[in-house]
Amino acid sequence: MDLSKAFDKVNYWKLFDKLLDDNIAASLISLLVFWYTNQTAFVRWHDISSASFSVGNGTRQGSILSPCLFTRYLRELIASMVQCAVGCNVGGTYVNILAYADDIVLLAPSWKGLQHLINTFTQAAQSIDMQCNVNKTVCMSYAPKNRSKIVLHGFPDCWMA
């Protein structure tokens, strides 16, 4: 799953609320509020620079803190995926999501299970103002080792709600 411009679409205020819910010191959150709400940027191309402009959303690109803040921003999305009880048995543990920053993989034992995960993911992503980029999202399927267990050789298309 590819979240469209994920780091750029983080809603500061939702992030700060989540940090407050985690009992992060208000003074630290105040510092982050100041830091994020007073961001400016400019574009440089060759030897020419644009005028500066304010940045209204997103986590700072290249910042050491950004992956941690982004991970916190996605925590409930990941939890909703884990709780939906659809996944693949990997060494005795059921797994349905692998996530590293904005790189996300959904694992399902069937196309119907995958569609359920996609629906759950889409709903959870919308609640934090994120959308999937369907042009960069791909689906792969693998046949079972035991060929006699193949039910269908083709599956219906999965779709984003």
Side-chain angles (χ1 to χ4, degrees):
M1 303 295 288
D2 182 78
L3 292 171
S4 297
K5 301 186 183 286
F7 280 91
D8 297 332
K9 292 201 176 167
V10 169
N11 181 317
Y12 299 153
W13 305 109
K14 285 185 181 184
L15 173 61
F16 300 146
D17 283 343
K18 291 172 186 299
L19 294 172
L20 285 169
D21 291 344
D22 291 347
N23 294 319
I24 302 296
S27 58
L28 178 58
I29 295 172
S30 293
L31 176 65
L32 289 172
V33 167
F34 177 81
W35 190 28
Y36 275 92
T37 58
N38 289 289
Q39 289 186 92
T40 59
F42 66 94
V43 177
R44 180 179 303 158
W45 189 60
H46 295 288
D47 293 331
I48 301 170
S49 297
S50 72
S52 65
F53 54 90
S54 64
V55 178
N57 258 0
T59 55
R60 297 175 65 105
Q61 297 295 319
S63 168
I64 292 172
L65 193 55
S66 292
C68 295
L69 294 173
F70 187 75
T71 300
R72 174 57 190 98
Y73 194 69
L74 291 184
R75 185 186 302 163
E76 286 84 8
L77 179 145
I78 293 169
S80 68
M81 299 303 298
V82 170
Q83 294 168 1
C84 77
V86 172
C88 294
N89 186 334
V90 178
T93 302
Y94 283 92
V95 178
N96 65 5
I97 187 168
L98 304 172
Y100 179 76
D102 64 340
D103 296 318
I104 298 171
V105 176
L106 301 181
L107 302 170
S110 67
W111 69 266
K112 190 173 184 178
L114 181 59
Q115 185 62 62
H116 180 71
L117 291 178
I118 291 170
N119 294 346
T120 303
F121 184 88
T122 302
Q123 184 177 5
Q126 287 172 348
S127 73
I128 57 170
D129 304 326
M130 295 279 169
Q131 290 181 334
C132 288
N133 182 344
V134 295
N135 295 321
K136 289 185 173 179
T137 297
V138 297
C139 179
M140 296 185 293
S141 64
Y142 297 92
K145 288 181 183 178
N146 182 346
R147 298 280 182 201
S148 67
K149 294 184 178 181
I150 294 176
V151 178
L152 293 172
H153 289 282
F155 296 101
D157 291 336
C158 291
W159 50 275
M160 304 288 247

